[in-house]
Amino acid sequence: MQNNSVIDCPSCATRVNAPVIGAVHDPDSESAVVLLRCPSCNNPLLGLTQLYQTENNDWRYDHSERLWPAPSTVELNVSIPESARRDIKDAQKCISHSIYSAAVVLCGRALERLSKEKAPGSRTLADGLTELKNQNIIDERLFQWANALRKERNLGAHATDEEVTKENSQDVLSFTIAIFEYVYTLSEKYEEFIARKTVKK
Ligand SMILES: [Zn+2]
């Protein structure tokens, strides 16, 4: 059996073919949890993979989906509109493949969707965020965070020659997820909570 599996290494920000150090096979299926060592940075990686048989009847490990460190994609709450969830997931994929400028563009698109839905009159993303704050849809901290990112030209920067770094794209992604969870998930949970309280009275 060939003891390698392909996995995304977060420290190298690339896909690596890593040796399998240990594996726990599921007796009821062809799946296995594998401990891998990145051949480039030597960091440990834990993945979920499938076994498959080659034409020569050899068993191989398929590509691993990373379980640790933090999986490559965060599960986003279904209360977030599907189109925005898709943009955010694609942005996460771009970062794991070191395409940082595309990740920032995708986050910008998701934020524009948010602004269009929640602050329909605004012409720019900056106006939209101000409007969201004025309507108390986002709080002061999120607004300050958005402004800090805008000042660093990470948010809403169009066609610049400046290179987007890994750190910058991760900052923009963290902010994008935070604002969507605040606007959609948190307020929805709060309203459900209040509705339950009202029923009980
Ligand atoms: Zn690595």
Side-chain angles (χ1 to χ4, degrees):
M1 175 146 173
Q2 178 233 19
N3 273 328
N4 277 297
S5 178
V6 172
I7 191 165
D8 286 334
C9 174
S11 357
C12 300
T14 188
R15 201 158 265 213
V16 294
N17 189 11
V20 175
I21 308 300
V24 177
H25 293 227
D26 179 352
D28 303 321
S29 72
E30 313 285 66
S31 70
V33 172
V34 285
L35 175 66
L36 305 159
R37 181 167 49 222
C38 173
S40 170
C41 68
N42 284 323
N43 280 341
L45 303 157
L46 196 69
L48 177 68
T49 188
Q50 299 287 324
L51 287 151
Y52 69 93
Q53 232 170 348
T54 63
E55 284 173 7
N56 308 329
N57 294 326
D58 288 338
W59 285 95
R60 296 256 164 106
Y61 290 113
D62 207 345
H63 289 197
S64 289
E65 195 184 308
R66 197 171 77 232
L67 301 172
W68 186 89
S72 12
T73 54
V74 176
E75 264 325 298
L76 295 163
N77 197 284
V78 288
S79 54
I80 297 170
E82 207 202 327
S83 50
R85 264 188 288 148
R86 210 183 313 122
D87 285 340
I88 296 170
K89 279 198 166 174
D90 286 347
Q92 290 172 324
K93 280 186 208 153
C94 285
I95 290 178
S96 65
H97 291 97
S98 315
I99 317 168
Y100 308 124
S101 54
V104 170
V105 169
L106 284 161
C107 288
R109 196 163 81 172
L111 291 168
E112 269 162 21
R113 291 186 199 278
L114 175 82
S115 162
K116 269 197 189 120
E117 192 191 320
K118 299 286 180 182
S122 48
R123 285 191 304 127
T124 62
L125 181 57
D127 287 349
L129 291 165
T130 308
E131 186 58 32
L132 292 177
K133 191 192 145 254
N134 291 343
Q135 289 180 32
N136 283 323
I137 294 173
I138 60 170
D139 70 358
E140 182 65 31
R141 260 182 322 175
L142 277 170
F143 184 67
Q144 298 292 349
W145 192 358
N147 276 341
L149 286 170
R150 257 182 350 101
K151 278 183 195 139
E152 281 177 43
R153 298 178 55 78
N154 293 331
L155 260 191
H158 301 286
T160 77
D161 293 332
E162 274 174 68
E163 201 189 330
V164 180
T165 64
K166 179 181 175 184
E167 286 71 30
N168 288 351
S169 65
Q170 278 167 339
D171 285 345
V172 172
L173 177 65
S174 301
F175 168 75
T176 307
I177 294 174
I179 193 171
F180 270 92
E181 292 202 321
Y182 187 89
V183 171
Y184 290 94
T185 313
L186 189 68
S187 55
E188 191 172 275
K189 288 204 166 122
Y190 177 69
E191 277 155 26
E192 278 170 14
F193 168 76
I194 291 299
R196 274 202 306 277
K197 292 271 158 193
T198 321
V199 170
K200 274 185 190 158
K201 265 182 208 160

XYZ file of all heavy atoms in Angstrom, residues 9 12 38 41, ligand 1:
25
model
N -1.802 22.118 3.179
C -1.050 22.484 4.389
C -1.268 23.976 4.637
O -0.915 24.794 3.793
C 0.426 22.172 4.241
S 1.364 22.788 5.656
N 2.075 26.112 4.800
C 2.720 26.297 3.492
C 1.765 26.952 2.495
O 2.189 27.401 1.441
C 3.185 24.962 2.936
S 4.380 24.125 3.972
N 3.646 17.151 6.862
C 3.909 17.945 5.665
C 5.368 17.762 5.247
O 6.270 17.964 6.058
C 3.606 19.419 5.920
S 4.099 20.449 4.530
N 7.124 21.623 5.536
C 7.366 22.304 6.822
C 7.442 21.326 7.996
O 7.719 21.731 9.119
C 6.287 23.359 7.071
S 4.649 22.654 7.363
Zn 3.603 22.509 5.273
